């Protein structure tokens, strides 16, 4: 009986030893626990024992990879021609002096540690098209991750306000492309090779006025004296959301433009034609000032909307002059003869605009036997020509100018809107 118990106990002990051996054999594949003393020893080895100098470049030419992480578009002002974004850069480079992958003592237990720019070498870089602060990117509050292969990852961030040359030709259906240009400060392209890896939009928050469309990158060389400095530009393209501008700019503009047509619908005897035309002209002039306040004062390109407003303003000025002429014709005395050029213009206006002449025919009191002889004496055109009066001339001019203005307004407005819409949806 005792032998049986002893044999069973031996088997249980052997099973425990087997399981313990199995766990120990898989131990190296388990995640190592953090050890302060081990990491402290590693830092001492790298920075003190190996006499690390943070002012010395790791290699004769260091390859720097730069990535722009865009968080949000703070503002894009076409009036000031500036762009402000919130984001951070991700810089990666290799420093073989900080590699411990070949050291078995630290390799498995410490995959990476963190430090600041006060202890390691960092590239001297700057955003050169910044308008708020032109300085080397530097902030010791941003930590640097150092992996066991000697790869350093640094992510400094902030608000970057840069100069942006805007194109207002198709405002407010415009698309703007602004750049964030990154350049080495002091180091030449022989000492540092600057490469771009893209724009990261994982944490991007949309802007209410502008919609992010796309991005591109371009590398170039900046000459400074005899030195050539590498630089890379992150070109960000934004498309304006036109809903606000349609409601507050386009629709009021068209409604104001249409008012200039109806001045010719007012009767001349009402006494309101002149006041109405002047009020419409002043309203357009004020609105042109409001729209121009949002457009940059540049002669490189002209906004289509500004051209449209100037045309409508010119038509408003012409409508005032035409209204004065119409009122002058209406109040002319009946005995005053109608000029020949005005007769011809009224005749053409009735034919072109399909206007009823509303005039009386000349009546000749001629006896029946004498009709044939009198007709031969009078020219045929004189016999059939209608008799124009000044009130009839006024009615013809008002109807013709109203139809001409309405047609001109429709054609110009349609062409402008069609141009803006085609550009907005094809770009």
């Amino acid at each position: 009986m005792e032998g049986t118990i002893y044999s069973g106990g031996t088997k249980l002990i052997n099973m425990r030893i087997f399981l313990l051996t199995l766990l120990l054999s898989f131990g190296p594949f388990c995640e190592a626990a953090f050890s302060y003393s081990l990491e402290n020893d590693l830092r001492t080895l790298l920075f003190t024992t190996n006499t690390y100098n943070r002012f010395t470049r790791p290699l004769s030419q260091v390859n720097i990879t730069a990535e722009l992480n865009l968080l949000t578009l703070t503002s894009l002002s076409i009036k000031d021609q500036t762009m402000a974004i919130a984001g951070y850069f991700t810089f990666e480079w290799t420093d073989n002096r900080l590699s411990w992958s070949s050291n078995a003592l630290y390799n498995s237990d410490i995959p990476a540690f963190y430090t600041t720019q006060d202890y390691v070498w960092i590239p001297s870089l700057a955003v050169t098209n910044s308008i708020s602060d032109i300085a080397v990117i530097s902030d010791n509050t941003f930590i640097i991750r150092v992996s066991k292969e000697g790869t350093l990852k640094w992510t400094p961030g902030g608000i970057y306000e840069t100069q942006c040359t805007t194109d207002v030709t198709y405002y407010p259906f415009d698309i703007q492309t602004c750049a964030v240009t990154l350049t080495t400060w002091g180091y030449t392209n022989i000492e540092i090779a600057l490469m771009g890896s893209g724009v990261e939009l994982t944490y991007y928050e949309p802007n209410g006025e502008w919609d992010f469309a796309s991005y591109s990158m371009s590398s170039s060389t900046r000459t400074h004296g005899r030195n050539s400095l590498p630089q890379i530009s992150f070109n960000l393209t934004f498309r304006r959301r036109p809903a606000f501008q349609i409601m507050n700019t386009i629709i009021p503009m068209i409604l104001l433009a249409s008012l200039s047509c109806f001045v010719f619908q007012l009767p001349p005897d009402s006494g309101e034609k002149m006041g109405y035309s002047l009020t419409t002209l002043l309203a357009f002039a004020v609105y042109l000032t409001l729209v121009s306040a949002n457009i940059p004062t540049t002669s490189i390109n002209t906004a289509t909307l500004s051209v449209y407003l100037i045309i409508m303003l010119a038509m408003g000025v012409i409508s005032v002059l035409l209204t004065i002429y119409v009122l002058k014709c209406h109040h002319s005395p009946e005995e005053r003869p109608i000029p020949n050029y005005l007769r011809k213009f009224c005749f053409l206006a009735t034919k072109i605009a399909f206007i009823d002449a509303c005039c009386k025919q000349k009546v000749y009191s001629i006896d029946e036997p004498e009709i044939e002889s009198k007709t031969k004496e009078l020219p045929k055109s004189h016999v059939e020509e209608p008799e124009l009066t000044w009130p009839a001339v006024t009615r013809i001019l008002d109807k013709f100018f109203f139809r001409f203005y309405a047609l001109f307004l429709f054609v110009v407005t349609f062409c402008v809107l069609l141009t803006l819409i085609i550009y907005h949806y094809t770009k």
Side-chain angles (χ1 to χ4, degrees):
M1 185 69 179
E2 293 179 358
T4 305
I5 296 174
Y6 177 78
S7 176
T10 304
K11 290 181 179 180
L12 182 60
I13 293 173
N14 292 336
M15 181 63 68
R16 291 178 178 176
I17 294 174
F18 174 75
L19 292 176
L20 181 60
T21 305
L22 186 63
L23 291 175
L24 291 176
S25 64
F26 286 99
F29 296 96
C30 300
E31 185 177 356
F34 173 76
S35 172
Y36 170 81
S37 59
L38 196 62
E39 183 171 324
N40 188 52
D41 293 341
L42 177 61
R43 290 177 182 271
T44 303
L45 173 65
L46 295 176
F47 294 105
T48 305
T49 306
N50 294 343
T51 61
Y52 182 88
N53 189 344
R54 68 185 183 91
F55 297 104
T56 305
R57 295 194 318 277
L59 299 169
S60 59
Q61 185 182 50
V62 183
N63 295 322
I64 307 294
T65 303
E67 181 184 60
L68 176 61
N69 297 265
L70 186 61
L71 298 180
T72 186
L73 174 67
T74 305
S75 67
L76 201 167
S77 174
I78 62 172
K79 174 65 178 178
D80 301 326
Q81 301 194 58
T82 60
M83 178 191 69
I85 62 169
Y88 61 93
F89 292 101
T90 299
F91 301 117
E92 286 191 14
W93 68 94
T94 300
D95 192 337
N96 295 326
R97 297 172 298 176
L98 298 177
S99 174
W100 65 93
S101 58
S102 59
N103 193 326
L105 180 62
Y106 307 104
N107 182 20
S108 59
D109 295 333
I110 305 177
F113 68 83
Y114 297 88
T115 184
T116 63
Q117 66 181 37
D118 294 335
Y119 299 96
V120 296
W121 178 90
I122 61 170
S124 180
L125 302 170
V127 179
T128 53
N129 64 337
S130 174
I131 63 173
S132 58
D133 184 20
I134 301 179
V136 175
I137 299 175
S138 176
D139 195 337
N140 56 9
T141 60
F142 292 103
I143 60 176
I144 301 174
R145 187 179 190 273
V146 183
S147 64
K148 63 182 179 180
E149 292 82 11
T151 302
L152 285 78
K153 180 181 289 188
W154 184 34
T155 56
I159 304 295
Y160 300 100
E161 189 174 2
T162 61
Q163 189 272 340
C164 178
T165 302
T166 56
D167 184 1
V168 296
T169 304
Y170 300 97
Y171 173 87
F173 293 87
D174 51 333
I175 299 174
Q176 306 296 340
T177 300
C178 303
V180 179
T181 303
L182 194 66
T183 311
T184 59
W185 196 272
Y187 291 106
T188 64
N189 56 0
I190 299 176
E191 299 160 342
I192 286 183
L194 189 60
M195 299 171 291
S197 61
V199 176
E200 181 60 41
L201 301 171
T202 304
Y203 304 104
Y204 176 73
E205 293 293 334
N207 182 271
E209 183 180 2
W210 297 91
D211 183 29
F212 182 82
S214 61
Y215 78 89
S216 62
M217 294 184 302
S218 59
S219 300
S220 59
T221 301
R222 181 182 182 183
T223 304
H224 181 70
R226 296 182 178 180
N227 298 322
S228 298
L229 310 179
Q231 71 176 14
I232 183 171
S233 296
F234 299 91
N235 305 305
L236 309 176
T237 301
F238 296 94
R239 185 191 305 270
R240 186 190 297 274
R241 302 178 190 270
F244 177 83
Q245 298 296 336
I246 290 175
M247 297 297 296
N248 294 274
T249 302
I250 301 296
I251 294 178
M253 176 188 64
I254 296 175
L255 294 178
L256 277 176
S258 63
L259 292 178
S260 60
C261 303
F262 293 94
V263 65
F264 302 108
Q265 290 293 93
L266 289 175
D269 294 329
S270 65
E272 298 294 335
K273 287 179 75 74
M274 203 64 210
Y276 179 88
S277 60
L278 288 175
T279 303
T280 305
L281 177 62
L282 291 176
F284 232 98
V286 172
Y287 194 74
L288 177 61
T289 304
L290 295 177
V291 174
S292 300
N294 296 323
I295 299 177
T297 55
T298 176
S299 299
I300 298 177
N301 45 61
T302 304
T304 305
L305 185 63
S306 295
V307 176
Y308 177 81
L309 287 173
I310 291 174
I311 293 175
M312 292 298 105
L313 182 63
M315 295 298 292
V317 173
I318 296 174
S319 70
V320 173
L321 300 177
L322 293 176
T323 301
I324 295 174
Y325 185 76
V326 169
L327 291 175
K328 180 182 177 182
C329 293
H330 180 75
H331 293 289
S332 296
E334 293 185 2
E335 62 273 11
R336 180 185 175 186
I338 299 175
N340 190 37
Y341 74 89
L342 188 57
R343 288 179 177 273
K344 293 182 179 179
F345 180 82
C346 291
F347 176 76
L348 292 176
T350 56
K351 299 299 183 182
I352 295 174
F354 304 100
I355 302 173
D356 294 331
C358 301
C359 307
K360 296 183 292 185
Q361 298 285 338
K362 281 189 176 182
V363 179
Y364 299 95
S365 56
I366 305 175
D367 295 337
E368 191 72 24
E370 299 178 357
I371 292 178
E372 185 175 352
S373 61
K374 294 293 183 181
T375 304
K376 292 180 180 179
E377 296 176 2
L378 296 174
K380 184 177 181 181
S381 60
H382 181 74
V383 175
E384 297 179 354
E385 182 181 1
E387 181 183 357
L388 284 177
T389 61
W390 284 112
V393 170
T394 302
R395 288 191 294 270
I396 292 174
L397 292 180
D398 273 339
K399 289 183 179 181
F400 175 75
F401 291 145
F402 172 74
R403 297 181 182 183
F404 173 78
Y405 262 66
L407 179 63
F408 183 82
L409 172 65
F410 175 78
V411 172
V412 174
T413 303
F414 178 78
C415 293
V416 170
L417 292 181
L418 184 64
T419 302
L420 295 177
I421 292 173
I422 290 176
Y423 174 81
H424 182 74
Y425 288 102
T426 56
K427 292 294 182 177

